[in-house]
Amino acid sequence: HQTIRNHTHYVLELKLLTSEQRSSYIDMFFHSFNKILESEQKSLLVDNKGGEHPIYLSYVCENLRQFGDYSLVTKRLKTYPSTLDNLLNFLLDEAYEIIDNRPLTDAFFKLLLISDIGLIESDMVNILEHYLNRNTDENNRIDVNQMIWAVLRRHVKIFLDTTWIAGIQYIIFRDSSIEKLLRQRCLKDDANETCTLHTFMAEFYRKYSSMKDIATSRVLYHYEQGHMYQELVTYLRSPEGRIVTRHDRENYLRRRRCTNTLGSVDTIDNQRAYACHVCAKNLKLAPFMMQKSPCIICSKHIPPSTSTEIPLEKREARLCQKHGTNDYSQNFQCLLCKRLQPTSRGELSTP
């Protein structure tokens, strides 16, 4: 859904259906399941004003297909609201009542809402069990097994669809209408809860996911969406983060980098970067890079941007106030260990 929203040329506006089109859709839909509606039942559905909307009609037909008592179909058709939002609320309320486990149902919808590509179906039992027991002790654990998941899946499947990515099956929402409605009902624009959900999912993918090759990208996504930027950078620097592709690594770090452009004049907003004597000993620059302005962290060559640039042997690493020291010129902070160091003289010395 997000891909479609990002590319407007993929959007196809759905026009309202005529009576003939509604009748044809109903016949084709039920015929594909070897079912048929009686003429009175079909007329009730065709004459329903909401049936002009293709998504509304598809929800009603799917709900009728799953309806267990054929003798009550006519009565059922008379209970459907005439607008899409009211219909979805009607079906959601019914599903919650049948499942009779609001914490479980809410947890499933919330976790699916914050996932941009859906949830891995084979992980669903583990995800729900860890989420519902995140704040409980061993004596009060909530059991979530395959049977419980199957019951939940059965009663909410009208709102869901599946997709395959790299050979793995994901659960997604059927359309953006139900996603939008559930976002209002479950998350209610609560930024704190959204961040908490992203935090949980990041930790789940790091520790418990059965798909380790997929988990890495999910960890990065949820750390970023949960505004856990320090955890994101720490993860990329950890042994776990070594499998992150260079492209993904650069994209995530680029969005976290400071974009201030600094000159060479010392001010509180434009500071020299220092390393303490302990950290300085650990900076290993390749010999052939010594005269080529290498990066002090990775030794990568930094070419001059113009021919009039400061000579390479005199170039300095600079920091803005946000990343430097608040009382710069009296004290400085080591770039690597962040330890505060006093300057040796009243004025800045040459690094």
Side-chain angles (χ1 to χ4, degrees), residues 295-310:
C295 171
I296 63 172
I297 303 299
C298 67
S299 298
K300 181 180 179 180
H301 172 52
I302 305 174
S305 58
T306 66
S307 58
T308 59
E309 195 176 43
I310 297 173

Side-chain angles (χ1 to χ4, degrees), residues 28-204:
M28 288 189 296
F29 179 88
F30 287 103
H31 178 73
S32 63
F33 296 99
N34 295 319
K35 297 178 182 290
I36 190 172
L37 292 182
E38 297 176 359
S39 57
E40 180 188 2
Q41 296 168 344
K42 182 178 176 181
S43 296
L44 285 171
L45 186 51
V46 171
D47 294 339
N48 188 324
K49 187 68 175 177
E52 294 179 343
H53 197 300
I55 296 179
Y56 177 100
L57 189 59
S58 69
Y59 270 107
V60 171
C61 289
E62 180 63 25
N63 185 249
L64 285 175
R65 183 184 74 82
Q66 300 175 25
F67 193 62
D69 194 338
Y70 184 79
S71 64
L72 298 177
V73 168
T74 302
K75 181 179 179 180
R76 176 74 173 177
L77 280 164
K78 295 177 181 179
T79 64
Y80 290 125
S82 58
T83 65
L84 178 59
D85 283 348
N86 288 339
L87 174 67
L88 293 176
N89 276 310
F90 170 79
L91 296 176
L92 279 170
D93 291 341
E94 191 174 62
Y96 270 93
E97 183 178 354
I98 294 172
I99 296 169
D100 194 25
N101 190 337
R102 178 168 287 274
L104 176 68
T105 311
D106 278 346
F108 170 69
F109 282 139
K110 288 178 181 180
L111 294 170
L112 186 55
L113 282 168
I114 65 162
S115 176
D116 60 331
I117 62 173
L119 296 173
I120 300 174
E121 180 147 11
S122 60
D123 271 345
M124 281 312 310
V125 172
N126 277 337
I127 292 175
L128 291 171
E129 184 169 25
H130 280 96
Y131 180 77
L132 293 174
N133 291 292
R134 66 195 186 283
N135 296 320
T136 60
D137 55 36
E138 289 297 327
N139 297 325
N140 297 298
R141 289 187 63 81
I142 301 171
D143 182 41
V144 180
N145 52 42
Q146 287 291 346
M147 182 60 70
I148 292 174
W149 162 240
V151 172
L152 173 64
R153 179 79 161 82
R154 175 188 174 190
H155 293 297
V156 299
K157 68 178 181 180
I158 190 173
F159 310 113
L160 307 176
D161 202 345
T162 56
T163 188
W164 292 81
I165 303 176
I168 299 173
Q169 187 174 13
Y170 287 79
I171 298 174
I172 60 175
F173 284 112
R174 182 177 179 180
D175 60 80
S176 60
S177 300
I178 186 63
E179 183 178 352
K180 179 180 178 181
L181 181 62
L182 281 169
R183 197 171 293 278
Q184 295 171 348
R185 286 180 55 141
C186 296
L187 295 180
K188 302 175 183 177
D189 297 323
D190 188 337
N192 290 332
E193 183 175 18
T194 301
C195 286
T196 300
L197 289 165
H198 281 295
T199 301
F200 164 78
M201 287 305 297
E203 293 306 308
F204 174 83

